[in-house]
Amino acid sequence: AEAGKALMGSLPYDHYVFLFGFPPEGGSGALEHSYSALFLLFAGMDRSEIRHIIAHEFFHLWNAERVHVEALEKPEQTKPFETGTIWMNEGGTEYMSALILVHAGLTKRNGFFSTMAQKYAELRSAPMSRLVTRHSNTEASRMWKDASAMTFMQVAQITYERGAVNMFAADLAIRRASKGERGLIDVVRLLFDRYAKKGKGYPEDALPGVFTEVAGMPHGSPR
């Protein structure tokens, strides 16, 4: 929580609750909310995995719960929801959750780089690697509503695992373009300030322009 506050500049809540459940039959999962997160953990889970899950759901309080596409503000409840931005919600959060653990002192820098390298290697070597690389992030985001297009695990692998690797690449590209002054966190900050603070979501096609804008800001611009 302290690392998230340091990265984003403030916490958008007065009170936040971490809810933990321990299913007797095993299995794990988690679900984020605007002012809380629910975690189902099983005995014997690796400590680093638990930390990652907690960091992931916690960062969702910015990215997804408050920073999201405008269609989520007033969804059409009688139709399946469709957006090409889930890669930002989940891929961006998956990457930031790994980065936030470094800032919190819970993961070493070498461990962070090893995690990114492992994700990339797994994507390249997975039996479904051709399917994973065939579809863009935007296309995969739209496939969540169509179970016949790809299996759930294939779509999840694109959205979470490849999404994190792509976000790492985007972070490096922004840092190189800005001579190290800005990174992916500045994309989330800009989206939060420009849209979430005003109680609205960003347009469906806004993300590429925002990434480019952050990368091309004049050096020394306010973070």
Side-chain angles (χ1 to χ4, degrees):
E2 292 174 353
K5 178 181 179 180
L7 284 170
M8 290 298 296
S10 64
L11 295 171
Y13 60 78
D14 294 324
H15 188 67
Y16 189 90
V17 180
F18 293 88
L19 302 166
F20 292 92
F22 304 93
E25 300 301 324
S28 64
L31 182 64
E32 77 278 3
H33 300 283
S34 296
Y35 297 94
S36 65
L38 170 66
F39 306 92
L40 301 180
L41 309 176
F42 62 87
M45 282 186 69
D46 184 78
R47 184 180 296 269
S48 62
E49 182 181 359
I50 294 174
R51 287 172 172 171
H52 177 78
I53 293 174
I54 294 174
H56 181 104
E57 303 307 330
F58 182 73
F59 196 75
H60 266 318
L61 72 89
W62 287 286
N63 193 39
E65 285 297 315
R66 290 170 175 83
V67 175
H68 50 240
V69 67
E70 59 187 354
L72 275 176
E73 291 296 319
K74 294 182 179 180
E76 172 52 68
Q77 303 286 0
T78 63
K79 299 178 182 179
F81 181 74
E82 181 177 336
T83 180
T85 64
I86 294 177
W87 60 270
M88 179 63 182
N89 291 359
E90 297 298 347
T93 299
E94 182 71 5
Y95 172 69
M96 286 306 307
S97 62
L99 193 61
I100 204 172
L101 289 174
V102 177
H103 285 266
L106 299 173
T107 298
K108 301 295 185 182
R109 288 182 54 168
N110 287 343
F112 166 78
F113 289 121
S114 295
T115 296
M116 291 298 111
Q118 182 179 356
K119 287 181 181 294
Y120 179 74
E122 289 175 352
L123 288 171
R124 296 287 295 179
S125 62
M128 63 182 76
S129 60
R130 290 187 178 181
L131 282 173
V132 169
T133 56
R134 181 185 305 168
H135 301 280
S136 70
N137 290 323
T138 300
E139 290 171 338
S141 292
R142 298 184 186 280
M143 289 177 184
W144 282 100
K145 72 181 184 67
D146 185 4
S148 64
M150 300 175 73
T151 69
F152 173 83
M153 289 307 298
Q154 289 169 343
V155 178
Q157 189 170 26
I158 292 178
T159 306
Y160 289 81
E161 301 302 318
R162 196 186 74 178
V165 172
N166 285 350
M167 287 297 182
F168 181 36
D171 195 4
L172 293 177
I174 293 172
R175 291 173 186 273
R176 181 172 62 180
S178 66
K179 300 186 184 304
E181 292 192 2
R182 291 176 299 282
L184 182 66
I185 189 64
D186 295 282
V187 173
V188 183
R189 288 173 180 163
L190 188 151
L191 290 168
F192 184 77
D193 291 340
R194 183 173 294 175
Y195 298 103
K197 282 186 177 181
K198 299 176 182 178
K200 60 182 182 180
Y202 54 79
E204 177 73 30
D205 59 354
L207 290 177
V210 171
F211 275 71
T212 301
E213 178 182 349
V214 171
M217 285 180 176
H219 298 311
S221 296
R223 293 175 64 87

